Each structure stands twice: as C-alpha cells, then as structure tokens.
Amino acid sequence: MQNDYDVIVIGGGPSGLMAAIAAGETNSRVLLVDKGNKLGRKLAISGGGRCNVTNRLPIDEIVKNIPGNGRFLYSAFSIFNNEDIIAFFEKLGVALKEEDHGRMFPASNRAQSVVDALLDRLEALNVKVLTNCPVRQIIFDGNRTSGVVLENGGKMAAKAVVTAVGGKSVPQTGSTGDGYPWAEQAGHTISELFPTEVPVTSDEAFIRGKTLQGLALRNVGVSVLTPKGKPLITHQMDMLFTHFGVSGPAVLRCSQFVVKAMKKWKLRNVVMAIDAIPDKNEEQVFQELSRQIKTDPKKTVKNNLKGLLPERYLLFLLERSGIDGHTPCSNVPHEKLRMLAGHIKHFQFQVNGTLPLEKAFVTGGGVSIKEIEPKTMASKPMPGLYFCGEVLDIYGYTGGYNITAALVTGRLAGLNAAAFALEN
Ligand SMILES: Cc1cc2nc3c(=O)[nH]c(=O)nc-3n(C[C@H](O)[C@H](O)[C@H](O)COP(=O)(O)OP(=O)(O)OC[C@H]3O[C@@H](n4cnc5c(N)ncnc54)[C@H](O)[C@@H]3O)c2cc1C
C-alpha cells in the first residue's frame, strides 16, 4: 500500500475538517480525503449561506434541540462543547455574533470565512488534503481497521480511519450515504434513514388550488396531532404555505414527527394544526372578535378584522367559517364568530408526507449510537474505526445544532483516532 498515515479522515464537511484538525494538533500524520472538488460545501450553504456555526443556548437546551439522540452527546459536551467551538473559531480569527434563538454566525456574514479558517488551520498543521478523491471502501484486516481503498483502486494505509461522510441529504454537496455499507461491514447497525428538517406535503384542495401559496404566517403555533387529536409536538415559529404543502421553520421542525407518526400508526395522512394567535386562548380570541365587530357594525367583516391576521389567511378562515367577508359586522351570527375563533386557534389540515430525503436539510437515522463509545466516537465492534457527524444516528433542528454535533463529535473522533494510532 502507498502512503502510510496515522489517521485517514474520510469527508471534509464540518465533522471531518474538525477531526483532521484535532488529529493534526497531536502531530500525527493525517490525511483528509474528500470526493468533491472543494471542502465544506454543505457548511458553506448552511444558515442561508452565512454558516450557522453553532448555538449559544445552555447545554440542556442544545440537547433538547437535537431530538435525534441528543442525550448521547452529554459525554462529548463534557469534553468539548458549544462554548469551546466559539473559542476555537475566535482563536482562528473568526469573530462570531449571536442572533435570535442563540444562533451563532460569523460576524462577516460569510460562510466562506468559516471554511477558509478551517482550511488555513489544516495547512498550518501539515494535514495532507486530497480532493476529487472518492473513497470506495474501508479496509478491515482481520479484526482491525488498516486503511482505505480509493475509487481509482489506489490503497492508503492508516492505523485509524475516521468516517465523516455525512448523511444522504442534498447529495450534490457530496453526502450520498457512502458510509452506511462501510459501517455495516464493520459490524454496525444502521437505524432506518428518513428525511428531517424537510418541507411537508399535502393533498388538501386548498393546497392543490394554491389558495394560500406564498403566504407566510409569523410566530404561529404549528402542531402535529396524534390519531386521537392530541398534539405530538408543537413549535411556535414562522411557517409558509407552498404549492405542494407547508414549509418554514416551524414546519421543518415538525417534519420528523409527521414521518414518525405515519410510521408508528401506519397512517397515510396525518393531521397538522395551526394556532394563529398562540398567546390567547379560544375564549379570549372570541371575545376580541366580538368586541372588534361591535366597534363599527356597518363595516364589512373583512375590513373590520383586517388587522387581526394576514389578510389572505383571514379571508380563507372567514370562508371556512361560512362567513362572507363582505357581510356587515352586525349581520354575523355569534355561532359563526365562534367557529372563526376555533379556526384561528386550531385550523386543522391533512398532510401526507414530506419531500424526499435528498431534499431534506438533515438525514434522520444512521449509524446506531449504541455501538459508538460516547466519549471517543470509537466503533465498539471495530478497533481503529471512528465515526462523527451526520453519518451517525444523531439529528437536530436547524439552528446550528447539527453543525455543533458534527464539530463536537469530529473533535473527539480526531483526537481519539490519533491517540489510538500512537498507541498501536
Ligand atoms: C441547505 C442546508 C442548510 C443547513 N442549515 C443548517 C443550519 O442552519 N444549522 C444546522 O445545524 N445544520 C444545518 N444543515 C445541516 C448541516 O449542514 C449538516 O448536518 C452538516 O454539514 C453535517 O456535517 P458532516 O461533516 O457530518 O457531513 P457533510 O457536511 O455532509 O460532509 C460530508 C463530506 O464527505 C464527503 N464524502 C462523502 N462520501 C465520500 C466518499 N465516499 N469519499 C470521500 N469523501 C466523501 C462529501 O463530499 C462531503 O464533503 C444544513 C444543511 C443544508 C443542506
């Protein structure tokens, strides 16, 4: 085999870049290989192209925002956490700023400044980087990891290999799910893959008819309901109606619960609900509507209630409540006003799935965390093999949580792969 290394890191996303840097800092001979022509392609488009590099909420909150096995990260966070990520980047000369919900971005607002800082650090540490270099497989000799085979047939030997190839979402950034068969060969279980942080589809007539297409609702409560009508999850954020269903931050967060509900209860449709005025209860909304229409009984109801909700949504809910928007306020019966209050608080509609995994921001499922050492990211069944980032069965909401998980697990995988290589 050509070119001996202590550690080979496969994949140059946030987890692989961090793993290669951590291994490089131990003076090990490190190789980072990526199939793409550039490193950090997904990182560069995260956070709307500004790179949402981490999140500053307390650790317990970070864990809550990683509904896919976030608790597994407690051990890792005790060694390297979000504050360490912030300090790490500031040391590299990337000043960060905090935005809403604790989200941290480079002060430059340029994702490329984050990627460049990581690349500069790799160079300073003499980490060898090969791009346009897909790995075909990992070599397991007997019962230990001994290197990789490249797509062109070339072999590279190493004492430890870090698998940082990401999930299966947005494959044009290089993440095409290559790591799962390798993990299985090493004796790992792959938890079923599914799309998360993904727009939700609906076959409702008002969606097919594009009645609300393009309408954004601000700071509304969006829920996924169980078959018994109880909320399985609720997120209060913005949402958007699209030509195929619903999207926007609140819906993206709910999407994995749509997938899980369909699977758990073997459903073809799941009910979602929108609470357009989450800080008031239904009775308070009804009282406000009653008060409002009395202020000018001759005015049409649509003009009188205009300020209450975005106009298109108001007209839509008026129609659903059997109220003609042109009716003078004095002619609106009480029971219809009650119905309107009900729709404002919990307008329900059916959804029938999500866009496919390729279109999702994040891949749910992956290499089962039960077979990974939580403090080192080492494979339990295969000595010398390490995993980090989205290839693992760890998935968070957007908001810097996935990148935090990738950087933290990457740091541990790189450090411990290098330590393993030194010992052996
Ligand atoms: C549009 C978009 C926006 C996002 N916004 C956010 C956000 O705001 N907050 C958040 O927390 N998360 C966000 N995410 C998710 C986040 O970017 C990912 O979770 C994160 O990049 C995963 O890092 P990773 O290192 O595990 O894998 P990736 O970033 O996917 O990197 C994997 C790398 O491995 C390489 N590779 C794959 N197979 C091979 C192979 N066989 N040989 C060699 N190299 C290979 C790929 O080329 C790629 O460079 C967003 C994702 C997308 C798509």
Side-chain angles (χ1 to χ4, degrees):
M1 276 197 259
Q2 52 170 322
N3 291 338
D4 268 13
Y5 292 95
D6 294 316
V7 178
I8 294 178
V9 178
I10 315 171
S15 67
L17 290 166
M18 192 54 137
I21 288 171
E25 284 173 357
T26 65
N27 287 325
S28 305
R29 293 161 306 153
V30 184
L31 170 69
L32 171 63
V33 277
D34 197 289
K35 60 155 64 154
N37 59 353
K38 283 197 282 195
L39 303 178
R41 282 179 292 170
K42 201 173 264 187
L43 191 60
I45 58 170
S46 76
R50 295 191 301 130
C51 190
N52 186 185
V53 74
T54 189
N55 192 295
R56 197 154 221 173
L57 293 182
I59 294 295
D60 285 343
E61 289 300 311
I62 301 261
V63 167
K64 272 190 213 148
N65 279 288
I66 306 182
N69 293 316
R71 296 176 64 79
F72 171 77
L73 293 172
Y74 270 119
S75 305
F77 284 146
S78 70
I79 302 165
F80 191 78
N81 62 28
N82 52 342
E83 290 298 330
D84 296 316
I85 293 173
I86 294 167
F88 170 85
F89 278 106
E90 301 215 319
K91 210 166 150 198
L92 296 188
V94 183
L96 301 180
K97 59 171 175 173
E98 183 174 344
E99 297 194 358
D100 58 331
H101 307 284
R103 296 184 305 154
M104 300 297 291
F105 291 89
S108 66
N109 279 327
R110 286 179 52 248
Q112 201 54 41
S113 63
V114 172
V115 178
D116 289 346
L118 293 167
L119 299 188
D120 288 349
R121 183 72 180 138
L122 283 179
E123 200 181 331
L125 292 167
N126 290 320
V127 170
K128 169 98 174 142
V129 175
L130 291 177
T131 49
N132 292 313
C133 193
V135 169
R136 191 196 298 160
Q137 100 189 60
I138 303 178
I139 308 168
F140 305 116
D141 262 343
N143 199 28
R144 55 167 301 163
T145 313
S146 65
V148 302
V149 183
L150 304 178
E151 204 50 65
N152 65 15
K155 288 182 180 170
M156 305 270 190
K159 293 175 185 154
V161 172
V162 177
T163 306
V165 292
K168 223 180 166 179
S169 312
V170 194
Q172 55 275 31
T173 61
S175 340
T176 48
D178 299 8
Y180 308 121
W182 304 339
E184 280 178 328
Q185 265 169 17
H188 285 270
T189 315
I190 308 300
S191 313
E192 192 181 343
L193 305 184
F194 59 93
T196 81
E197 301 300 292
V198 63
V200 169
T201 55
S202 168
D203 199 29
E204 288 270 9
F206 74 92
I207 295 289
R208 275 189 282 120
K210 303 187 175 26
T211 315
L212 296 175
Q213 182 183 345
L215 174 68
L217 298 179
R218 304 278 170 224
N219 200 26
V220 291
V222 179
S223 303
V224 179
L225 306 185
T226 66
K228 288 193 170 153
K230 295 260 177 312
L232 185 61
I233 187 80
T234 302
H235 281 290
Q236 190 175 331
M237 289 182 120
D238 298 348
M239 69 159 286
L240 175 74
F241 292 95
T242 67
H243 61 288
F244 54 76
V246 283
S247 188
V251 172
L252 294 180
R253 287 182 175 220
C254 285
S255 61
Q256 60 180 279
F257 298 92
V258 170
V259 175
K260 287 173 182 166
M262 289 178 79
K263 192 171 170 212
K264 180 170 177 189
W265 290 293
K266 299 187 173 57
L267 301 172
R268 295 182 66 178
N269 288 288
V270 174
V271 176
M272 289 186 75
I274 300 171
D275 179 353
I277 307 185
D279 50 353
K280 294 201 169 97
N281 66 30
E282 192 169 329
E283 183 57 27
Q284 288 168 324
V285 170
F286 172 68
Q287 293 302 338
E288 188 174 335
L289 290 172
S290 309
R291 229 181 357 258
Q292 184 62 32
I293 62 164
K294 278 184 200 138
T295 55
D296 196 344
K298 287 193 193 129
K299 216 173 178 178
T300 62
V301 67
K302 91 178 168 77
N303 280 340
N304 194 333
L305 297 180
K306 213 156 58 183
L308 202 67
L309 294 174
E311 194 170 350
R312 278 174 78 194
Y313 197 54
L314 173 67
L315 291 178
F316 175 73
L317 294 187
L318 281 172
E319 197 186 318
R320 294 255 150 176
S321 312
I323 304 171
D324 178 346
H326 299 95
T327 317
C329 288
S330 53
N331 291 359
V332 180
H334 258 218
E335 66 276 11
K336 290 208 169 158
L337 213 53
R338 277 224 178 265
M339 199 183 282
L340 177 62
H343 281 319
I344 290 175
K345 283 301 290 176
H346 34 81
F347 169 61
Q348 297 190 358
F349 59 104
Q350 299 219 336
V351 299
N352 59 5
T354 67
L355 292 187
L357 184 51
E358 290 70 29
K359 295 254 162 69
F361 284 87
V362 180
T363 303
V367 176
S368 169
I369 46 128
K370 290 189 188 129
E371 297 140 5
I372 302 290
E373 295 287 353
K375 282 203 157 142
T376 64
M377 300 301 134
S379 156
K380 286 183 186 171
M382 183 59 72
L385 182 63
Y386 293 78
F387 290 92
C388 54
E390 209 176 301
V391 69
L392 290 167
D393 182 13
I394 297 174
Y395 47 95
Y397 296 137
T398 51
Y401 304 106
N402 297 289
I403 296 171
T404 300
L407 293 170
V408 167
T409 54
R411 180 99 203 152
L412 296 195
L415 275 178
N416 290 289
F420 177 90
L422 279 182
E423 277 167 26
N424 293 272

